[in-house]
Amino acid sequence: MVIFNCDNINWPPPTTVATTITTVATTAILLTTVVNNAVPHQLQSFISAKFKKLAKTLNPETTVVVDEFNGIAPNQMFEAANDYLGRKLSPWTRRISACKNAKESEIRVSIDVAEEIVDFFEGVRVTWVLLSDVKRCGEVVRGFKKDGDLCEMRYFELTFHHKFRDFILSRYLRYVLDEAKKIKESTKEIKLHTVDYDHWTSINLDHPATFDKIAMNPDMKTDLIEDLDRFITRKEYYRRVGKAWKRGYLLYGPPGTGKSSIVAAMANYLKFDVYDLDLREVLCNGELRRLLIGTASKSILVIEDIDCSIKLQNRECAEDGAKSDNDDEKVTLSGLLNFVDGLWSTCGDERIIVFTTNHKDRLDPAFLRPGRMDVHIEMSYCTFDGFKLLATNYLGIHDHPMYNRIEDLLRKVQVTPAQVAGELMKSDFAEDALQKLVTLLMTFYPNSEGELV
């Protein structure tokens, strides 16, 4: 073993070291200046390209960039990586992003910006880093955090040895997608998305409605459930026949007949997120298109009160030339229908579109054309079967001596399930609640002239 005694080394004075460093730096600057002045620009570019190529050859790593958005649409790969890496945090991860909404049962964690996660897949080592870049935006794009005209765009960098390039792209990324899907399904929280200015914001949808609790025609309810079951299992069928994997429903009927509850029951049954679109919050067709593309697969898009939510340009009026100067800046009927069944309808899979209206007869004929709204469901007034279901839910009873009287009245008057439920909620005692319902029904009972009072 050779031992060096540093005490016996004659170190140069600090002033000499500083002078040497200054000389080297000055020489480097001088050489750079000489090269820039003496060597032709074309030759400089050639040498620079050769050095870059040599550096790439010596560097054994390949980096895959996964942006948060693919144009104006969310990048599924980014979302999957974010969910997947949340389960890969180690004791050495220093910055962790934690999020929990009021009605969520679990805290969702993921890595924060500039943090690094090392993962192994079938013996191959990969490194993930979440980065953020702020750039000037010529156009405000949905989903970016806006600060004036600046947009913050997040992205992952996935780095690995270049010899595993095909393996990572074909197998590892698919593995991440599959694992993220399992994570989402195990911690699924149904979300209700609404429009906030020009982008979607979400909260948990904690609506208790289920098909077992909705007072509607039993046969119609069975048909709806069977239609939903058939839809979600027909991916290959839709692809084979050349149609977008979507389904359209039109719910129509008087207010209080349960149209919104049907939507909530559909969401709870399918575990689909709900996007509630108020067209009055949308400025133009371009913004509408960005919002609709931003909806995820396995979701329900709801446009309530379509007959009065916005004055959509009627196609017949357009053909007559009745067009105002600012029609191009508004949401038009053709712009909406182009997403329902046009080329834009293919941007996503397993989507359900629900329109609701109190007055089906007021809808533009273009809405009712076959192929747009696949299923028309009339939400009618409360029937005796519907009442019995409500009585079971609200009062916990299945029969009562007053049922015959109530059945007779329901055949003669028209009341909504919401009105019936309102009376049943007024008392915890079945006798009292049913009597209040009878009193309500009697106010609608035909008088001696055969007209409703």
Side-chain angles (χ1 to χ4, degrees):
M1 178 182 296
V2 179
I3 301 176
F4 294 94
N5 188 355
C6 296
D7 295 335
N8 296 328
I9 299 176
N10 294 323
W11 298 102
T15 54
T16 303
V17 174
T19 302
T20 303
I21 293 175
T22 303
T23 301
V24 171
T26 303
T27 303
I29 295 173
L30 179 61
L31 288 174
T32 301
T33 303
V34 170
V35 170
N36 288 337
N37 293 333
V39 179
H41 178 71
Q42 294 82 354
L43 182 57
Q44 292 182 37
S45 301
F46 175 78
I47 296 174
S48 176
K50 290 297 182 181
F51 271 109
K52 290 180 179 179
K53 184 175 181 180
L54 178 62
K56 289 182 179 180
T57 303
L58 297 177
N59 182 8
E61 293 184 336
T62 294
T63 298
V64 174
V65 177
V66 182
D67 292 314
E68 185 173 6
F69 288 88
N70 180 21
I72 62 177
N75 185 352
Q76 183 184 1
M77 191 68 243
F78 180 92
E79 296 176 353
N82 201 39
D83 292 335
Y84 173 76
L85 295 176
R87 298 292 182 92
K88 292 291 182 177
L89 301 177
S90 70
W92 296 275
T93 306
R94 297 307 179 194
R95 290 181 60 85
I96 300 173
S97 174
C99 178
K100 180 185 182 301
N101 293 328
K103 295 182 179 180
E104 286 184 340
S105 58
E106 294 187 1
I107 298 175
R108 293 182 289 110
V109 295
S110 59
I111 64 173
D112 199 7
V113 174
E115 275 301 304
E116 179 180 288
I117 293 289
V118 176
D119 190 24
F120 291 88
F121 179 67
E122 297 187 11
V124 178
R125 183 181 189 273
V126 299
T127 303
W128 291 89
V129 180
L130 177 62
L131 299 173
S132 176
D133 193 9
V134 178
K135 296 182 179 180
R136 296 278 177 181
C137 298
E139 179 185 4
V140 176
V141 179
R142 186 208 67 80
F144 294 152
K145 299 176 182 178
K146 301 183 288 297
D147 182 13
D149 58 347
L150 298 179
C151 298
E152 179 188 3
M153 291 170 279
R154 299 186 302 165
Y155 59 96
F156 282 108
E157 284 191 350
L158 171 62
T159 305
F160 49 88
H161 197 287
H162 68 82
K163 68 180 180 180
F164 298 114
R165 179 177 180 274
D166 293 339
F167 174 80
I168 295 298
L169 294 178
S170 62
R171 295 184 57 182
Y172 177 65
L173 291 183
R174 174 55 58 184
Y175 168 78
V176 171
L177 287 170
D178 293 340
E179 289 298 303
K181 182 179 179 181
K182 294 177 184 177
I183 293 171
K184 276 188 174 294
E185 291 176 349
S186 65
T187 60
K188 175 68 174 179
E189 298 280 356
I190 302 175
K191 299 292 184 180
L192 172 63
H193 303 260
T194 57
V195 177
D196 182 10
Y197 294 102
D198 61 349
H199 63 281
W200 293 107
T201 60
S202 66
I203 58 174
N204 280 354
L205 178 64
D206 194 23
H207 199 295
T210 63
F211 285 118
D212 292 337
K213 300 176 182 178
I214 290 180
M216 65 182 296
N217 181 284
D219 293 335
M220 187 180 299
K221 185 189 302 185
T222 300
D223 291 342
L224 174 58
I225 294 174
E226 290 178 351
D227 190 77
L228 293 172
D229 289 338
R230 184 164 51 250
F231 167 72
I232 62 175
T233 59
R234 304 184 87 183
K235 178 179 181 179
E236 295 304 322
Y237 172 82
Y238 277 88
R239 185 177 298 276
R240 177 166 57 84
V241 300
K243 291 178 64 68
W245 192 13
K246 64 180 181 63
R247 193 74 170 159
Y249 295 86
L250 175 65
L251 307 181
Y252 65 96
T257 51
K259 295 186 288 295
S260 297
S261 295
I262 282 288
V263 173
M266 292 169 67
N268 288 328
Y269 183 74
L270 297 173
K271 300 298 182 184
F272 279 15
D273 284 355
V274 176
Y275 289 82
D276 186 17
L277 179 60
D278 186 347
L279 293 177
R280 292 169 295 188
E281 299 292 328
V282 184
L283 298 178
C284 61
N285 285 335
E287 184 176 309
L288 175 66
R289 185 165 56 248
R290 287 194 296 271
L291 288 169
L292 295 178
I293 293 176
T295 60
S297 298
K298 290 181 175 289
S299 64
I300 302 174
L301 173 67
V302 182
I303 303 180
E304 296 191 80
D305 300 324
I306 186 62
D307 57 302
C308 58
S309 62
I310 194 171
K311 293 182 179 179
L312 295 171
Q313 178 185 338
N314 188 296
R315 287 188 173 183
E316 295 178 359
C317 294
E319 292 174 358
D320 293 338
K323 182 177 181 181
S324 62
D325 294 336
N326 61 347
D327 274 342
D328 292 336
E329 300 176 359
K330 296 181 179 179
V331 176
T332 63
L333 178 60
S334 61
L336 178 60
L337 295 181
N338 190 40
F339 181 81
V340 173
D341 64 353
L343 291 177
W344 291 104
S345 66
T346 61
C347 298
D349 279 336
E350 211 168 352
R351 281 182 172 145
I352 290 175
I353 304 173
V354 178
F355 288 102
T356 72
T357 179
N358 297 333
H359 306 282
K360 182 181 179 181
D361 57 306
R362 296 181 185 177
L363 293 181
D364 188 289
F367 275 114
L368 306 178
R369 198 186 79 183
R372 284 188 172 140
M373 295 296 101
D374 304 291
V375 180
H376 294 198
I377 300 176
E378 181 179 8
M379 304 300 295
S380 62
Y381 291 102
C382 190
T383 63
F384 182 62
D385 287 334
F387 156 74
K388 289 191 294 183
L389 180 59
L390 291 173
T392 300
N393 292 336
Y394 286 88
L395 303 176
I397 61 175
H398 298 280
D399 198 5
H400 192 276
M402 297 180 66
Y403 271 25
N404 291 335
R405 176 62 171 154
I406 293 173
E407 181 178 11
D408 181 60
L409 287 169
L410 286 175
R411 288 198 186 103
K412 300 173 182 177
V413 301
Q414 293 181 333
V415 290
T416 66
Q419 290 174 301
V420 173
E423 296 303 310
L424 297 181
M425 293 178 65
K426 290 182 178 180
S427 177
D428 293 331
F429 300 99
E431 185 80 20
D432 189 25
L434 294 177
Q435 184 58 56
K436 292 181 183 298
L437 175 59
V438 170
T439 301
L440 171 70
L441 296 177
M442 288 294 295
T443 63
F444 294 99
Y445 193 82
N447 61 18
S448 57
E449 298 179 356
E451 298 177 353
L452 291 180
V453 179

